[in-house]
Amino acid sequence: MLEVFPKEKRIIAEGVNIRKKHVRPKKTGEKGQIVQIPGPIDISNVKFICSKCGKAIKVGYKIVQKKKFRICKKCGQEI
Ligand SMILES: [Zn+2]
């Protein structure tokens, strides 16, 4: 995972939702390039792997001392 935006409930993950962007050459004589930029995806579309269960699981939340933690819905392991 590259970046998490908890407020927007979005994350940017490597290799997911890749967008291609055309970059114009900065100097004359240079070639334009197509760069690949990972776009944000909704956090609910993300599959989390529980280290205990060892597979993709559903994510639950628990709040401890006003902090929000992601947990595995199956075994309660923090993710
Ligand atoms: Zn689990």
Side-chain angles (χ1 to χ4, degrees), residues 6 10 13 32 36-38 60-61 79:
R10 283 175 169 264
Q36 296 191 336
I37 303 167
Y61 293 96
I79 304 168

Side-chain angles (χ1 to χ4, degrees), residues 54-71:
K55 51 188 170 184
I57 44 88
K58 281 188 177 164
V59 178
Y61 293 96
K62 67 171 180 181
I63 293 165
V64 179
Q65 290 167 345
K66 289 179 182 172
K67 278 185 182 172
K68 207 172 178 186
F69 292 95
R70 275 195 304 266
I71 56 162

Side-chain angles (χ1 to χ4, degrees), residues 14-55:
E14 211 165 349
V16 181
N17 196 22
I18 299 294
R19 295 170 182 183
K20 282 182 181 168
K21 194 183 173 188
H22 221 94
V23 179
R24 283 187 192 171
K26 290 181 187 117
K27 300 174 205 158
T28 42
E30 255 182 15
K31 276 183 186 175
Q33 284 181 21
I34 294 172
V35 290
Q36 296 191 336
I37 303 167
I41 50 170
D42 198 278
I43 208 158
S44 61
N45 291 330
V46 179
K47 291 252 178 8
F48 287 92
I49 310 289
C50 172
S51 56
K52 250 186 182 176
C53 303
K55 51 188 170 184

